[in-house]
Amino acid sequence: MRAIVMYSAGDVRVEAVPDAGIVEPTDALVRVTHSCICGSDLWPYKTMEPSDTGRHMGHEAIGVVEAVGADVRTLKVGDVVVMPFAYSDGTCVFCREGLHTSCVHGGFFGTVDVDGAQAEAVRVPQADGTLVVLPVGEDDALMPSLLTLSDVMGTGHHAAAAAKVGPGKTVAVVGDGAVGLCGVIAAKRLGAEQIIILGRHRDRVALAREFGATDVVSERGDEAVERVRELTDGYGVHSVLECVGLEQSELTAIEIARPGGAVGRVGVPQDETIPASQPAFFNNINVSGGPAPVRAYIEELLPDITEGRIEPGRVFDRVIGLDEVPDGYRAMNDREAIKVMVKP
Ligand SMILES: [Zn+2]
């Protein structure tokens, strides 16, 4: 089969690789109908050290079950399924608490453990716990939005949940990538009264406004902090969704939270330490977040998509085949595209 393999920063190849197949009795084999490139794929795209074996990329997918292992109970051949970016058994102590990204039998796609989903097919471990059957056919018009349940919509929702967004709250979203944009959707969905997006890409902030952002702050650093304070009677916001992961964005996130506020972090931190420890302490700011347990949120978010209340699939502004994926990485890295869908 064909799959995307990254060998070093900037070196993304379409390659013939051994076919994916069932290895463990709890596995499912899924033929990938929809995948995509993630903002987090751009970190190795910028920094990966050369590797002889390469890394199989991709952790977001919708597909059709082609085969199941002997112990799989809830899935059958032909089911259309969505795959969260992490696999999980759904039964361990952490899964039962809704923290599937800490599953004791879990792991992540597109790593040394399991190959990626930017491929014609993918092996899904812990299939009963991981996969969710979708109530639509494989060519349904809702597919772009349903695909965001793999990662970005669930991750935006996790940022909002960690930032304690609720009815009447003031919210700021740091970052205008696909996760930040889904964070706007999540904040509005949870009843936020004011939603300030911090971003500077014209097309992205325009989409953020359509998703429910009430204000746009295009400044950075101290000027951004000042603008957010102006917009919030000088106090800062109740809830900050940090969707970038750089030192500057984390610093801004803490500085724009009002005393007693919360920062929900979903941008993968690129540094070992969190900045602004003292302001966070003296303002009693709750800093939370981490890898989103998107599996935990699918049942909650799915009806909002199928019943048309939210349309997160609008973050996809380019659709390509596997052959064009190397250029898809380039386009996302150059900010030519917000998020690229791949149809293998
Ligand atoms: Zn588990």
Side-chain angles (χ1 to χ4, degrees):
M1 68 172 193
R2 295 187 311 148
I4 301 303
V5 186
M6 187 182 290
Y7 284 90
S8 69
D11 184 359
V12 176
R13 304 181 202 171
V14 190
E15 296 211 317
V17 302
D19 285 347
I22 303 288
V23 176
E24 302 290 337
T26 47
D27 289 350
L29 173 65
V30 172
R31 170 172 59 84
V32 177
T33 59
H34 300 74
S35 184
C36 46
I37 303 172
C38 187
S40 63
D41 293 335
L42 299 179
W43 295 118
Y45 187 73
K46 284 190 274 235
T47 62
M48 183 176 168
E49 297 291 331
S51 155
D52 291 335
T53 49
R55 175 175 158 191
H56 289 240
M57 301 299 294
H59 53 256
E60 297 149 283
I62 284 175
V64 180
V65 175
E66 294 242 294
V68 293
D71 293 346
V72 173
R73 295 285 171 266
T74 62
L75 301 159
K76 61 183 188 305
V77 171
D79 282 344
V80 177
V81 291
V82 60
M83 179 192 100
F85 68 81
Y87 59 88
S88 54
D89 59 14
T91 56
C92 79
V93 59
F94 295 111
C95 286
R96 287 201 307 268
E97 291 174 0
L99 194 58
H100 298 68
T101 39
S102 294
C103 177
V104 298
H105 300 115
F108 298 87
F109 292 95
T111 65
V112 288
D113 299 329
V114 183
D115 285 344
Q118 290 163 10
E120 290 180 312
V122 62
R123 177 177 80 88
V124 178
Q126 304 295 342
D128 278 332
T130 304
L131 296 171
V132 177
V133 178
L134 294 171
V136 295
E138 64 177 283
D139 295 320
D140 195 274
L142 290 173
M143 280 304 172
S145 286
L146 294 168
L147 180 58
T148 68
L149 295 174
S150 269
D151 188 346
V152 289
M153 186 61 225
T155 296
H157 177 77
H158 186 59
K164 304 179 191 293
V165 175
K169 294 281 188 77
T170 56
V171 176
V173 178
V174 180
D176 59 6
V179 170
L181 293 168
C182 288
V184 171
I185 295 174
K188 181 171 186 202
R189 187 180 164 276
L190 293 169
E193 183 176 297
Q194 182 181 24
I195 303 172
I196 304 166
I197 177 101
L198 281 77
R200 47 178 31 189
H201 298 92
R202 188 181 300 247
D203 54 337
R204 299 174 182 214
V205 297
L207 189 53
R209 279 197 183 276
E210 293 184 39
F211 283 160
T214 53
D215 301 277
V216 175
V217 169
S218 301
E219 291 85 350
R220 280 188 176 170
D222 292 343
E223 289 178 0
V225 174
E226 199 171 308
R227 281 285 297 138
V228 172
R229 294 236 173 96
E230 283 169 17
L231 290 165
T232 53
D233 298 330
Y235 295 134
V237 296
H238 294 102
S239 303
V240 185
L241 284 56
E242 200 289 304
C243 305
V244 180
L246 293 173
E247 184 183 11
Q248 177 64 64
S249 60
E250 294 185 348
L251 176 63
T252 298
I254 288 170
E255 289 179 335
I256 62 179
R258 69 190 248 159
V263 176
R265 302 191 306 152
V266 292
V268 180
Q270 301 302 300
D271 293 298
E272 297 227 336
T273 55
I274 300 177
S277 170
Q278 288 181 342
F281 176 84
F282 286 107
N283 288 321
N284 276 285
I285 290 167
N286 186 320
V287 178
S288 181
V294 299
R295 176 63 191 83
Y297 302 135
I298 290 177
E299 283 86 350
E300 179 182 348
L301 296 170
L302 182 61
D304 279 37
I305 291 174
T306 56
E307 292 162 24
R309 286 185 291 276
I310 61 173
E311 212 180 344
R314 294 179 67 196
V315 297
F316 293 107
D317 54 353
R318 190 172 294 197
V319 181
I320 61 175
L322 273 183
D323 286 334
E324 301 153 276
V325 168
D327 191 60
Y329 274 80
R330 183 206 55 75
M332 272 182 64
N333 195 48
D334 292 347
R335 301 294 185 267
E336 252 176 47
I338 300 175
K339 191 166 176 69
V340 174
M341 184 191 295
V342 181
K343 297 185 79 172

